[in-house]
Amino acid sequence: DTGVSQDPRHKITKRGQNVTFRCDPISEHNRLYWYRQTLGQGPEFLTYFQNEAQLEKSRLLSDRFSAERPKGSFSTLEIQRTEQGDSAMYLCASNDRVPYNEQFFGPGTRLTVL
Amino acid sequence: GESVGLHLPTLSVQEGDNSIINCAYSNSASDYFIWYKQESGKGPQFIIDIRSNMDKRQGQRVTVLLNKTVKHLSLQIAATQPGDSAVYFCAEKKEGGKLIFGQGTELSVKP
């Protein structure tokens, strides 16, 4: 257990539905990252926050995706109008702003879109 | 564009042998690399890191070597154990702290 938790661990949904995932980082970490991982691939960066500010979004993050970190603590990732191609593991990670500090990953939320 | 890639998707070793997992990168300005281990159903777990001003770093049973001339890094695991079976990723840390991962090498340890 790294101290980063994600909920739910698994989500099965039908195409076209909206889903929301939650990440609780390590409490003193001010940076929070979201990644997506498909089978057999390495994680791909989606977006990151420093405190409550969303500082970067990947081209992978289409306009159906939105992420928030309203109080600079937990974060949510919402996918609207899910598509089968959204099926993946969604990973959250956190660390301090201090350079070269380890990034701790949560266990991920596995999304299956039917 | 930037990329980090691994040479082999799978590696099978005998328990007790040493394992070497390789990774190549494309950006000569890359500054910081990390090796992660990912077991089935879990998130990546930090193993060891190395900055570009170093060419070798050692941890417990693991060593990372960085060759900036050929843009190559490797992870060496000594006396490989069954618990080392996992997928190993090299990653490059970019501005803002985001990580760019390679595709991974699946290490299988035969008893």
Side-chain angles (χ1 to χ4, degrees), chain B residues 8-14 18-21 37-38 75 77 80-88 104-110:
Chain B
L8 289 174
T10 61
L11 177 65
S12 182
V13 300
Q14 205 71 37
N18 297 336
S19 304
I20 300 176
I21 301 172
K37 172 186 180 183
Q38 188 174 27
L75 176 71
I77 305 173
T80 314
Q81 302 169 359
D84 295 325
S85 294
V87 179
Y88 289 81
T105 290
E106 183 173 8
L107 176 65
S108 299
V109 182
K110 296 178 288 187

Side-chain angles (χ1 to χ4, degrees), chain A residues 73-91:
Chain A
S73 55
F74 73 91
S75 176
T76 57
L77 178 68
E78 180 183 16
I79 309 175
Q80 296 182 325
R81 305 181 303 281
T82 52
E83 301 173 356
Q84 287 185 325
D86 297 331
S87 295
M89 175 78 86
Y90 290 84
L91 293 161

